[in-house]
Amino acid sequence: MTNETKENKTLPTVIYSPASGLRSPKVMAQQMWRDLIDSRELAWRLTIRDISAQYRQSLMGILWAFFPPIATALIFIVLNNRKIINIGETDIPYPAFAMFGTVLWQIFIESLNSPLKVVTKSKKMISKINFPREALILSAFEQTLFSLFIKLLILIAVFIFFQIPITWYTLLCLPAILILMLLGLTFGLLLTPAGILYTDITQGLTIITGLWFFITPVVYPPPTSFPFSLLTIINPVGPILTGARDLACKGVLNNPIPFFIITFLMFVFLIIAWIIYKLTLPILIERMNT
Amino acid sequence: MNNNKPLIKAENISKKFCKSLKRSLWYGIKDSCSELSGQRKSNHKLRKNEFWALDDISFELHRGECLGLIGRNGAGKSTLLKLLNGLIKPDVGQIEIRGRINALIELGAGFNPILSGYENIYINGAVLGFNKKSIDKKIDSIIEFSEIGEFLEMPVQNYSSGMYVRLGFAIAAHLQQDVLLIDEILAVGDIGFRSKCYNAIHEIRKNTAVVFVSHSMNLINRICTKVATLERGKNVYSSSNVPAAIQHYYDLFSQESNKPNRIENYDSKINFRELKAPKYKNLYEIEFGADITIEIDAHINPCFKNIELNFTFLSHGMDIVAQCNSHNNGIPINNSTGHITGEITIKNINFNKGNYFISMSIVDSETNNIIIWDHLFTQIKIAASFYGGAFTQLVGDWSKLKNNE
């Protein structure tokens, strides 16, 4: 009886074949959408799992989230005060400026590293169980959001200390920070397939992000004089990071055009990165070391 | 029920693997590129260092059926499961899966070692694709089945491997699916839990299409409705007569691994031991239920006054099927001369159709020291028309059974 009733219902059917998923774009798009929806609960579970495990195993707990930005910012505050480097004028007191910049930078870097990190950590799970792969990325994003939330607490403390007014406009920086995170996620996701196979990607990323920090207006205002101003055009992180800081301090975007162009391109590339991740993962799973 | 569409339909699937890691990674990049350019399709050509891990496998499986995959290590069983599960793509052919699929390939996947068993139930359930609500409904039953009890709040890193598997299986077994893939995973649990698992699989099978990989022929026999034997990626034999398929598997593979081995201690020596029966190739063919006679001639060190003679019959899977022991038969053997010679007849060899090994041992009655151990010294083939599921086929008296109309 149960057999019949079950059989009569149309069961969802999947087909695995060697043909590229791009040959049937409509099926592919539906699949991506469905997997994204299906992966929400799992992603949330994984997020709770990772965060609670992380803090259960640590005595200092969330304090660790505060140290890196404070340390980096302190270095530049000292360098600037001693006139070892000359930063120039900033809209808000330099310590607050540097601190804000470093927190944003760190959030960007965390987002950048998170996809490859989470996939590498879950290699065993990926190679043994078929679950919507989007869950890993979504969970990585949620965990970065959690980290952001903690870091925002420092920023609020800094703003209060330096008596920078916090208004409704200040909240406008939140969408900008979100875009900054998605930008990092896009870069990270684009690198993930190659990074699954070759460890070179992880190694190279550490060096590149170290250099990237210096060509991004994190601890200094965006340069306006000619050769250096090019950096803001080549480096997509600059306008977004500066934009977020401008919105927080002044409530306005100084340079809206590059900000919106980069945001638009970012969304396009995010979808491309997602498609690449989804299509290549089954090919990479059979070849990666677990 | 077979009129219905199958839940699993695998058509001519093949899969290549690469022997060299460097090349494999490079092919991975190339394949990814062809996938992304939309060019990728069936590819029958092997590149350098590649081989067929699976070669032209086809089968169908309906609800209520269980396919047992048997074969030696590296035959392609786990690869096939990975393909069915959609973890990796076939290089040739097509797989169609209808309905919800669940795989018991790695139990407790996604478990975080630091978190408690209770927390991990929800995590594992989510990984397997079940939401909090459906786990909430089943949580009590899962906990009860796993028998973890008081340790539920303990971090799973302190669990024994058996407890780990118990919890993992309990979760997976409680989730409903249409297709279930099971890799050899249950070997860890203790006997009680294992038999509980098999009962659970039996229950699941009624309403599911199951693919089961195991090296235990006993289990394959108990659970599966058909069997496919894989060898070097090829399906060399498949049949819905499970015992026959298992026998075929043994015939194929066990000769080479089960080598005769003779141990002669205390200056004793076997001069001769042979079956008195017609011999074909190196097999003695025996009719079901017939007697066998073994001729023996041995020199045993006379310091052993009383000895025991023992014959053991083994299946190809090295299960001990039957035994014939002189002491048990109430026959004392006196060794005053140090020379034993003559015949022994063993009656009614009512074994299931198939091949069996015979081992002989001679031990000292007082100390049980082994004087001679002649392991797998010969092989017999039982000829019968019937093929049963047990090693011993008992003969009953059916004359008093009446057919009432």
Side-chain angles (χ1 to χ4, degrees):
Chain A
M1 278 303 285
T2 46
N3 280 348
E4 275 170 33
T5 48
K6 266 207 159 180
E7 288 288 351
N8 288 341
K9 269 193 283 176
T10 44
L11 290 165
T13 306
V14 274
I15 290 174
Y16 302 117
S17 77
S20 166
L22 289 178
R23 284 172 176 242
S24 35
K26 204 178 152 202
V27 178
M28 169 98 195
Q30 283 169 343
Q31 181 76 33
M32 284 171 72
W33 178 248
R34 201 169 54 228
D35 282 353
L36 185 66
I37 301 295
D38 286 351
S39 67
R40 284 174 311 169
E41 176 149 355
L42 173 57
W44 184 236
R45 278 273 151 226
L46 295 176
T47 305
I48 295 172
R49 176 193 76 173
D50 289 347
I51 292 174
S52 53
Q54 189 185 337
Y55 288 112
R56 220 169 275 187
Q57 226 179 356
S58 152
L59 287 175
M60 309 243 285
I62 54 169
L63 285 181
W64 286 114
F66 298 140
F67 290 134
I70 292 175
T72 322
L74 272 181
I75 292 168
F76 282 91
I77 293 163
V78 170
L79 290 178
N80 190 37
N81 281 353
R82 294 285 172 89
K83 305 282 183 228
I84 297 168
I85 49 165
N86 189 13
I87 297 294
E89 279 300 302
T90 51
D91 296 322
I92 53 172
Y94 183 70
F97 179 89
M99 196 84 90
F100 203 140
T102 355
V103 165
L104 292 184
W105 177 254
Q106 230 117 42
I107 283 294
F108 171 74
I109 293 299
E110 274 178 38
S111 306
L112 174 65
N113 289 329
S114 65
L116 188 52
K117 207 170 109 190
V118 74
V119 171
T120 311
K121 211 177 86 181
S122 320
K123 267 182 176 175
K124 216 174 151 191
M125 208 164 98
I126 292 183
S127 63
K128 297 281 165 70
I129 296 183
N130 197 351
F131 57 93
R133 310 313 193 182
E134 285 78 3
L136 292 178
I137 306 300
L138 209 57
S139 166
F141 187 71
E142 286 170 359
Q143 288 179 51
T144 321
L145 267 180
F146 177 77
S147 164
L148 168 72
F149 176 74
I150 292 171
K151 289 190 167 86
L152 281 179
L153 295 178
I154 330 175
L155 290 185
I156 292 169
V158 169
F159 269 53
I160 292 169
F161 184 81
F162 287 99
Q163 295 175 335
I164 302 163
I166 300 175
T167 63
W168 286 113
Y169 287 111
T170 316
L171 291 180
L172 280 176
C173 78
L174 291 178
I177 295 176
L178 218 60
I179 288 165
L180 184 69
M181 286 173 64
L182 287 173
L183 187 65
L185 192 78
T186 307
F187 281 118
L189 196 54
L190 278 171
L191 291 172
T192 301
I196 292 174
L197 291 188
Y198 292 104
T199 50
D200 308 49
I201 303 292
T202 323
Q203 309 252 1
L205 213 53
T206 328
I207 297 170
I208 288 166
T209 49
L211 293 173
W212 205 345
F213 173 79
F214 290 103
I215 61 162
T216 310
V218 178
V219 289
Y220 55 86
T224 41
S225 57
F226 168 63
F228 300 108
S229 61
L230 275 179
L231 281 178
T232 53
I233 299 170
I234 308 165
N235 177 6
V237 189
I240 305 290
L241 193 142
T242 326
R245 191 161 44 194
D246 286 347
L247 283 169
C249 305
K250 297 181 293 189
V252 283
L253 272 178
N254 283 354
N255 252 331
I257 296 166
F259 184 94
F260 286 115
I261 291 176
I262 291 167
T263 305
F264 173 75
L265 286 176
M266 186 268 295
F267 277 112
V268 173
F269 275 96
L270 181 59
I271 296 200
I272 293 174
W274 180 12
I275 293 172
I276 295 177
Y277 170 76
K278 190 145 188 87
L279 285 177
T280 56
L281 213 53
I283 298 169
L284 304 178
I285 282 171
E286 65 177 82
R287 302 182 189 273
M288 72 186 185
N289 62 320
T290 45
Chain B
M1 198 151 80
N2 284 339
N3 298 333
N4 288 315
K5 272 198 193 165
L7 293 187
I8 304 178
K9 192 171 170 194
E11 290 171 295
N12 311 98
I13 47 173
S14 298
K15 181 76 202 162
K16 309 179 247 193
F17 276 161
C18 181
K19 289 175 194 161
S20 143
L21 176 72
K22 277 240 150 107
R23 257 176 215 285
S24 173
L25 297 184
W26 182 237
Y27 290 153
I29 296 287
K30 278 171 125 178
D31 288 350
S32 299
C33 291
S34 72
E35 171 83 33
L36 293 173
S37 64
Q39 301 292 311
R40 199 165 142 89
K41 50 178 191 258
S42 275
N43 193 339
H44 294 270
K45 279 202 193 101
L46 288 180
R47 293 169 287 191
K48 197 180 168 190
N49 281 349
E50 282 188 326
F51 65 97
W52 291 110
L54 281 177
D55 194 356
D56 201 19
I57 307 283
S58 302
F59 67 92
E60 286 186 0
L61 209 60
H62 294 83
R63 202 180 284 283
E65 289 183 320
C66 175
L67 173 71
L69 290 179
I70 57 181
R72 285 189 286 193
N73 293 335
K77 306 183 294 291
S78 296
T79 307
L80 183 53
L81 283 197
K82 282 191 177 180
L83 283 166
L84 293 174
N85 201 7
L87 295 170
I88 56 181
K89 288 179 90 171
D91 285 315
V92 184
Q94 177 171 306
I95 301 167
E96 204 179 311
I97 307 269
R98 294 175 66 239
R100 172 152 221 164
I101 185 163
N102 188 5
L104 297 181
I105 292 180
E106 168 113 339
L107 289 179
F111 273 10
N112 185 303
I114 298 158
L115 302 183
S116 72
Y118 188 84
E119 287 166 296
N120 272 311
I121 291 176
Y122 282 92
I123 295 165
N124 194 217
V127 171
L128 296 173
F130 295 87
N131 58 19
K132 187 170 178 297
K133 252 192 209 158
S134 58
I135 301 169
D136 275 337
K137 266 189 237 158
K138 305 213 161 125
I139 185 110
D140 293 329
S141 161
I142 290 173
I143 293 168
E144 198 198 315
F145 189 94
S146 69
E147 298 170 18
I148 299 288
E150 53 183 313
F151 300 112
L152 202 62
E153 295 300 330
M154 187 169 80
V156 296
Q157 62 181 353
N158 298 343
Y159 279 22
S160 71
S161 52
M163 286 162 79
Y164 204 87
V165 168
R166 271 157 188 257
L167 191 60
F169 184 84
I171 299 164
H174 276 81
L175 306 171
Q176 302 236 311
Q177 63 270 308
D178 300 292
V179 175
L180 180 65
L181 312 174
I182 308 176
D183 205 345
E184 187 112 73
I185 34 155
L186 302 173
V188 190
D190 55 42
I191 295 173
F193 189 73
R194 245 149 69 193
S195 73
K196 203 166 165 182
C197 292
Y198 301 133
N199 292 339
I201 292 173
H202 246 291
E203 199 57 35
I204 291 169
R205 201 197 73 188
K206 289 179 191 162
N207 211 11
T208 312
V210 181
V211 180
F212 185 71
V213 169
S214 180
H215 289 285
S216 159
M217 294 307 134
N218 186 17
L219 282 180
I220 294 278
N221 206 355
R222 276 164 60 187
I223 294 174
C224 300
T225 55
K226 53 181 171 179
V227 167
T229 311
L230 296 186
E231 172 67 358
R232 289 175 163 267
K234 288 196 173 69
N235 184 357
V236 290
Y237 187 84
S238 57
S239 167
S240 50
N241 183 344
V242 177
I246 292 171
Q247 187 55 47
H248 187 267
Y249 167 75
Y250 281 141
D251 288 351
L252 268 181
F253 306 126
S254 71
Q255 256 95 343
E256 48 204 270
S257 50
N258 296 328
K259 294 261 161 35
N261 176 23
R262 189 195 292 185
I263 297 168
E264 294 166 318
N265 294 326
Y266 310 108
D267 298 323
S268 305
K269 198 173 179 322
I270 289 195
N271 303 319
F272 181 80
R273 77 276 182 271
E274 201 71 74
L275 247 68
K276 284 175 83 176
K279 192 173 186 179
Y280 304 100
K281 292 177 186 169
N282 43 33
L283 278 177
Y284 292 98
E285 204 167 292
I286 315 283
E287 281 297 318
F288 172 80
D291 302 344
I292 60 168
T293 301
I294 301 165
E295 274 190 279
I296 176 170
D297 185 279
H299 278 99
I300 311 286
N301 192 329
C303 73
F304 301 109
K305 294 283 172 272
N306 292 300
I307 56 170
E308 286 172 20
L309 210 63
N310 183 60
F311 292 95
T312 311
F313 296 81
L314 299 107
S315 74
H316 267 154
M318 291 296 108
D319 301 296
I320 296 175
V321 176
Q323 190 180 11
C324 177
N325 184 290
S326 63
H327 182 71
N328 184 35
N329 292 355
I331 310 292
I333 301 175
N334 189 303
N335 183 41
S336 46
T337 59
H339 185 211
I340 302 236
T341 185
E343 291 182 0
I344 301 107
T345 296
I346 302 172
K347 298 200 160 164
N348 295 339
I349 304 295
N350 51 3
F351 295 170
N352 198 14
K353 182 174 173 175
N355 295 4
Y356 299 87
F357 289 99
I358 306 177
S359 294
M360 178 181 73
S361 63
I362 301 175
V363 301
D364 176 30
S365 293
E366 282 160 38
T367 60
N368 265 339
N369 282 344
I370 293 173
I371 304 164
I372 283 173
W373 189 47
D374 203 357
H375 187 49
L376 313 184
F377 73 88
T378 195
Q379 253 194 87
I380 55 171
K381 180 185 185 128
I382 304 293
S385 49
F386 177 74
Y387 205 110
F391 287 128
T392 310
Q393 297 293 323
L394 300 176
V395 180
D397 176 4
W398 304 83
S399 60
K400 299 214 173 95
L401 186 73
K402 288 194 184 107
N403 185 5
N404 283 337
E405 272 163 39

